[in-house]
Every structure is written in structure tokens, then in C-alpha cells.
Amino acid sequence: MTTTTMTTTTTTTEGTLDVPGAVLHYQVRGAGPTLLISQSGEGDADRSTDLVARLTDSYRVITYDRRGLSRSRLDAPERGATLVEHADDVQRLLVTLADGPALMLGCSMGAVIGLHAAVRHPGLIRTLVAHEPVAPRLLPAEERTRHEQELTALQDLYRREGLSVALPEIARTLGIDPTGADAEPGLTPQPMNALRVANFDHFIRHDFTAIVHDTLDPAALAHTGTRIVPAVGRTTPHTVFDRRCAASLAELVGEEPAEFPGGHNGNTSHPEAYATRLRQVLAETC
């Protein structure tokens, strides 16, 4: 049984939702068709704040802290969660907060969560924009194994050497420019504070494991009833595995990849241009 508590300000509704094994924190802003954003990496409900601010005139935007991050508490923090559990969290959030099928933007790990939700919960999501899903299961067997081993090696590096050593290697693996030089001006700062460091710790220790042990059935993605739009960052190198995953997804679902401004994290580095492109893609099915 789930319960919801809310506090409301003039611009944002914040609430908590009890789900099996966790309490989820969420935020709702704007008015219009419901658009859920599932964040990448260590990102919580505030990660895409600049993007959300450019969408709330047209969409009712839901963001949330994935279980184990920031304000979303786990009953057993040492266990982490599977991608199926994350997808079921999306289902419970949308059943509670949305009135009918919703739109969804999933970024990186959030895209994989969206793919699971589309398969497990038909009719829940009308359109899923899946930006560079970190889903090795979408790739041919040999390539899949290589990248799963790569993620495990990054976990081991983090445990041995810490975040300062592991983070540049994670960025290299995903094709992220660590300098952040290619970005729109006036972005909201995202400092590496204690909360973000803790989120990175949970993400690398537990969510990497969830990705390596993923159970996604790629063949099922062509029959979900959800329009799945693979998305890629304009500056993401074509050779990195997250972009390769998006290309494989495009073949599976019969959609041309939609190119978005910026790279793997274009939703945070180019919020103005990203919002414009997202509106264009979503308008095709709204």
C-alpha cells in the first residue's frame, strides 16, 4: 500500500511516495501533458532544473530522486535496487501522479528504466525519448560482454582509488567532455558537494551492478505500444557504447535516432536548445 504526502509552493509540488522497500521523493512543476524525467547517473530531482524551467509552460513535469539517491530512502541501503524495481517505481509514480498515459524523457540509466517500464507496464507511457541508454543488452553478445566487464572494472577502480580517479574514466567511457566547455551560459551550478558525492557512491556501487545484471529483453521493445524514440547527443563520439546502444535501439524499434544538442549530458549542458528539440520530438505524438 502506498501513501503520499505533499508540501506545495507557488511553483513546485514536492511529495513522498511509499513504495516496497523505499520512500521516493518527487517534484511536480508546470501544467499540461504529464512529462516524467528520469535522470542519468547520480542525478536527483533537481538535476535537470534548467531544462525543467524551460518546459513548465507546456508540460506538467515530474522529476524524482531514484531510490537510494538524495531524499529517496531505502529500507536496506546496502542492497541497492534492480532496474526492474526502478521501473516499477516509475509505474507507481505515474499511477499516483498522472491522469492517463504519460510522456517520458529517460537519460542514460533513466532511459534503461524507461525501456523496462514500457515493457512491464503497457499503456503507462505514450512516448519515451531514450537518450543514450546505458544498456549493454542492446548490443551484440561479444560487445555486450566487453562493456559489462568495462563497467565492473570501473567499479573496482572506484573502490580502490576513489571518485577523483574513477570519474574521469567514467566520463571517457560514456564520451563525456569532463571540461564542460561546450555548454550554454548561465547554468545553475551543480557543485560536487557531500550529497552529490554520496549519490555517486550509490550510483557506482549499486546501479552499475544493476546495469551489468540487467534482464531487459530487447526483442520485447518492438511490441510495447509505447513509441520509443532513441536519442543521441550531437557531440557524443559515435564509437562510445552508450551511443552504440542508442543505434541498436533504433534498429530494434524502427525509429531514426533523434539528435539532440550537446553530448551525453545535453539535458544539463544545453537546456534551452535541448528543450526546443524535446518539444519537437514530443509534438510528433502529442
Side-chain angles (χ1 to χ4, degrees):
M1 182 176 182
T2 60
T3 58
T4 306
T5 61
M6 298 184 183
T7 60
T8 306
T9 68
T10 55
T11 58
T12 303
T13 297
E14 297 190 54
T16 58
L17 181 67
D18 291 335
V19 299
V23 177
L24 302 180
H25 170 89
Y26 65 83
Q27 298 176 2
V28 184
R29 284 160 281 189
T34 297
L35 169 62
L36 175 72
I37 300 179
S38 188
Q39 312 286 349
S40 60
E42 87 294 355
D44 60 17
D46 300 317
R47 173 67 177 268
S48 292
T49 184
D50 293 329
L51 175 64
V52 171
R54 290 159 173 81
L55 295 170
T56 52
D57 61 333
S58 303
Y59 301 97
R60 182 171 175 263
V61 183
I62 301 170
T63 59
Y64 69 105
D65 298 350
R66 233 172 32 242
R67 59 169 67 202
L69 301 185
S70 296
R71 296 147 290 195
S72 287
R73 304 183 302 278
L74 278 169
D75 292 351
E78 70 284 353
R79 188 182 73 83
T82 66
L83 284 162
V84 166
E85 288 173 313
H86 285 304
D88 288 347
D89 287 346
V90 163
Q91 187 264 347
R92 293 183 181 99
L93 282 166
L94 289 177
V95 166
T96 302
L97 299 172
D99 183 14
L103 307 168
M104 182 172 176
L105 167 64
C107 299
S108 193
M109 181 174 168
V112 191
I113 292 170
L115 295 176
H116 274 278
V119 171
R120 287 177 59 79
H121 304 288
L124 182 73
I125 301 166
R126 186 172 13 145
T127 298
L128 167 65
V129 178
H131 187 115
E132 297 184 7
V134 285
R137 287 184 66 88
L138 294 173
L139 301 172
E142 184 177 344
E143 190 176 358
R144 166 190 164 185
T145 298
R146 182 169 73 253
H147 290 305
E148 288 172 346
Q149 292 171 344
E150 189 173 37
L151 291 172
T152 300
L154 287 169
Q155 274 187 317
D156 292 341
L157 178 64
Y158 172 71
R159 293 187 182 107
R160 292 194 315 269
E161 305 291 342
L163 187 60
S164 62
V165 174
L167 198 54
E169 288 303 305
I170 294 171
R172 178 192 58 77
T173 299
L174 297 176
I176 299 170
D177 177 7
T179 69
D182 178 26
E184 292 176 354
L187 300 179
T188 300
Q190 300 276 347
M192 190 62 76
N193 55 23
L195 180 63
R196 194 172 176 201
V197 168
N199 284 348
F200 263 117
D201 183 76
H202 184 87
F203 170 55
I204 298 170
R205 289 183 186 277
H206 299 295
D207 290 333
F208 273 37
T209 299
I211 293 166
V212 169
H213 296 291
D214 193 7
T215 58
L216 182 70
D217 176 10
L221 294 172
H223 310 287
T224 65
T226 296
R227 183 190 176 213
I228 298 173
V229 182
V232 296
R234 185 172 299 137
T235 61
T236 303
H238 289 251
T239 54
V240 296
F241 99 91
D242 42 306
R243 180 147 184 161
R244 291 275 302 113
C245 289
S248 293
L249 177 62
E251 293 180 9
L252 281 168
V253 301
E255 286 269 357
E256 284 295 317
E259 189 177 80
F260 276 70
H264 188 68
N265 292 327
N267 58 312
T268 58
S269 64
H270 293 73
E272 184 75 43
Y274 199 100
T276 298
R277 182 64 174 127
L278 183 61
R279 289 174 189 275
Q280 292 170 349
V281 172
L282 293 177
E284 297 174 7
T285 51
C286 284

